[in-house]
Amino acid sequence: MVTKVKCPTCQTEIEWGPQSPFRPFCSKRCQLIDLGEWADEQKRIPGEINPDLLPDPEQGDPWQ
């Protein structure tokens, strides 16, 4: 039996297996679209912010 799933980005039906290297996505393009949505925070996992994981304001911006 072959399992088929829908691409989360474009809803194209694909077979779940080694012949679909980007599964659950149908292509690299759809995979990158999804990654970009997460990076832009258009998608997020709901939950409360843990203040222990936030940067310490006294130490300045860690990204500079």
Side-chain angles (χ1 to χ4, degrees):
M1 179 175 175
V2 176
T3 301
K4 293 191 176 190
V5 297
K6 288 189 177 183
C7 173
T9 303
C10 71
Q11 302 303 306
T12 298
E13 196 170 82
I14 60 164
E15 291 183 10
W16 186 274
Q19 71 280 11
S20 303
F22 302 108
R23 63 187 176 271
F25 304 98
C26 66
S27 65
K28 184 71 171 176
R29 178 182 177 275
C30 282
Q31 186 183 52
L32 290 173
I33 288 170
D34 185 76
L35 177 61
E37 290 172 349
W38 282 98
D40 287 342
E41 296 185 358
Q42 294 172 17
K43 293 184 180 181
R44 58 180 83 190
I45 299 172
E48 294 184 27
I49 295 175
N50 182 342
D52 294 333
L53 298 177
L54 295 174
D56 185 351
E58 293 179 13
Q59 292 182 358
D61 187 351
W63 303 108
Q64 291 184 358

